[in-house]
mmCIF file of all heavy atoms in Angstrom:
data_model
loop_
_atom_site.group_PDB
_atom_site.id
_atom_site.type_symbol
_atom_site.label_atom_id
_atom_site.label_comp_id
_atom_site.label_asym_id
_atom_site.label_seq_id
_atom_site.Cartn_x
_atom_site.Cartn_y
_atom_site.Cartn_z
ATOM 1 N N GLY T 261 -44.330 -43.077 -62.848
ATOM 2 C CA GLY T 261 -45.269 -41.947 -62.873
ATOM 3 C C GLY T 261 -46.654 -42.217 -62.328
ATOM 4 O O GLY T 261 -47.538 -41.370 -62.469
ATOM 5 N N ALA T 262 -46.889 -43.375 -61.705
ATOM 6 C CA ALA T 262 -48.258 -43.711 -61.291
ATOM 7 C C ALA T 262 -48.563 -43.413 -59.822
ATOM 8 O O ALA T 262 -49.701 -43.094 -59.486
ATOM 9 C CB ALA T 262 -48.526 -45.194 -61.576
ATOM 10 N N CYS T 263 -47.579 -43.497 -58.936
ATOM 11 C CA CYS T 263 -47.911 -43.499 -57.493
ATOM 12 C C CYS T 263 -47.720 -42.144 -56.811
ATOM 13 O O CYS T 263 -48.282 -41.900 -55.750
ATOM 14 C CB CYS T 263 -47.079 -44.555 -56.775
ATOM 15 S SG CYS T 263 -45.320 -44.143 -56.665
ATOM 16 N N GLY T 264 -46.953 -41.253 -57.369
ATOM 17 C CA GLY T 264 -46.737 -39.930 -56.774
ATOM 18 C C GLY T 264 -45.731 -39.928 -55.629
ATOM 19 O O GLY T 264 -45.496 -38.883 -55.018
ATOM 20 N N ALA T 265 -45.113 -41.061 -55.341
ATOM 21 C CA ALA T 265 -44.180 -41.139 -54.207
ATOM 22 C C ALA T 265 -42.963 -40.237 -54.389
ATOM 23 O O ALA T 265 -42.369 -39.788 -53.417
ATOM 24 C CB ALA T 265 -43.715 -42.581 -54.014
ATOM 25 N N CYS T 266 -42.597 -39.987 -55.636
ATOM 26 C CA CYS T 266 -41.331 -39.284 -55.889
ATOM 27 C C CYS T 266 -41.522 -37.817 -56.239
ATOM 28 O O CYS T 266 -40.621 -37.192 -56.785
ATOM 29 C CB CYS T 266 -40.596 -39.988 -57.026
ATOM 30 S SG CYS T 266 -41.448 -39.809 -58.602
ATOM 31 N N ASN T 267 -42.729 -37.272 -55.933
ATOM 32 C CA ASN T 267 -43.031 -35.906 -56.364
ATOM 33 C C ASN T 267 -42.066 -34.857 -55.809
ATOM 34 O O ASN T 267 -41.710 -34.887 -54.635
ATOM 35 C CB ASN T 267 -44.470 -35.534 -55.959
ATOM 36 C CG ASN T 267 -45.458 -36.042 -56.985
ATOM 37 O OD1 ASN T 267 -45.062 -36.525 -58.041
ATOM 38 N ND2 ASN T 267 -46.736 -35.948 -56.689
ATOM 39 N N ILE T 268 -41.684 -33.924 -56.674
ATOM 40 C CA ILE T 268 -40.786 -32.824 -56.317
ATOM 41 C C ILE T 268 -41.610 -31.532 -56.385
ATOM 42 O O ILE T 268 -42.220 -31.258 -57.428
ATOM 43 C CB ILE T 268 -39.627 -32.706 -57.358
ATOM 44 C CG1 ILE T 268 -38.897 -34.043 -57.550
ATOM 45 C CG2 ILE T 268 -38.704 -31.550 -57.060
ATOM 46 C CD1 ILE T 268 -37.853 -34.368 -56.555
ATOM 47 N N PRO T 269 -41.644 -30.740 -55.306
ATOM 48 C CA PRO T 269 -42.411 -29.483 -55.369
ATOM 49 C C PRO T 269 -41.734 -28.454 -56.271
ATOM 50 O O PRO T 269 -40.503 -28.329 -56.258
ATOM 51 C CB PRO T 269 -42.432 -29.013 -53.903
ATOM 52 C CG PRO T 269 -41.296 -29.704 -53.246
ATOM 53 C CD PRO T 269 -40.981 -30.951 -54.008
ATOM 54 N N LEU T 270 -42.540 -27.770 -57.066
ATOM 55 C CA LEU T 270 -41.996 -26.788 -58.012
ATOM 56 C C LEU T 270 -42.244 -25.359 -57.529
ATOM 57 O O LEU T 270 -43.252 -25.090 -56.869
ATOM 58 C CB LEU T 270 -42.652 -26.966 -59.388
ATOM 59 C CG LEU T 270 -42.444 -28.320 -60.056
ATOM 60 C CD1 LEU T 270 -43.150 -28.354 -61.406
ATOM 61 C CD2 LEU T 270 -40.952 -28.618 -60.229
ATOM 62 N N LYS T 271 -41.323 -24.462 -57.856
ATOM 63 C CA LYS T 271 -41.446 -23.047 -57.465
ATOM 64 C C LYS T 271 -42.734 -22.442 -58.027
ATOM 65 O O LYS T 271 -43.398 -21.649 -57.383
ATOM 66 C CB LYS T 271 -40.244 -22.283 -58.014
ATOM 67 C CG LYS T 271 -39.645 -21.328 -57.010
ATOM 68 C CD LYS T 271 -38.440 -20.656 -57.590
ATOM 69 C CE LYS T 271 -37.179 -21.078 -56.861
ATOM 70 N NZ LYS T 271 -35.961 -20.609 -57.486
ATOM 71 N N ALA T 272 -43.086 -22.848 -59.247
ATOM 72 C CA ALA T 272 -44.270 -22.281 -59.903
ATOM 73 C C ALA T 272 -45.569 -22.859 -59.336
ATOM 74 O O ALA T 272 -46.652 -22.518 -59.787
ATOM 75 C CB ALA T 272 -44.184 -22.556 -61.399
ATOM 76 N N GLY T 273 -45.446 -23.770 -58.380
ATOM 77 C CA GLY T 273 -46.627 -24.452 -57.827
ATOM 78 C C GLY T 273 -46.759 -25.828 -58.429
ATOM 79 O O GLY T 273 -46.252 -26.092 -59.520
#
Side-chain angles (χ1 to χ4, degrees):
C263 70
C266 68
N267 276 352
I268 307 277
L270 299 180
K271 224 178 246 172

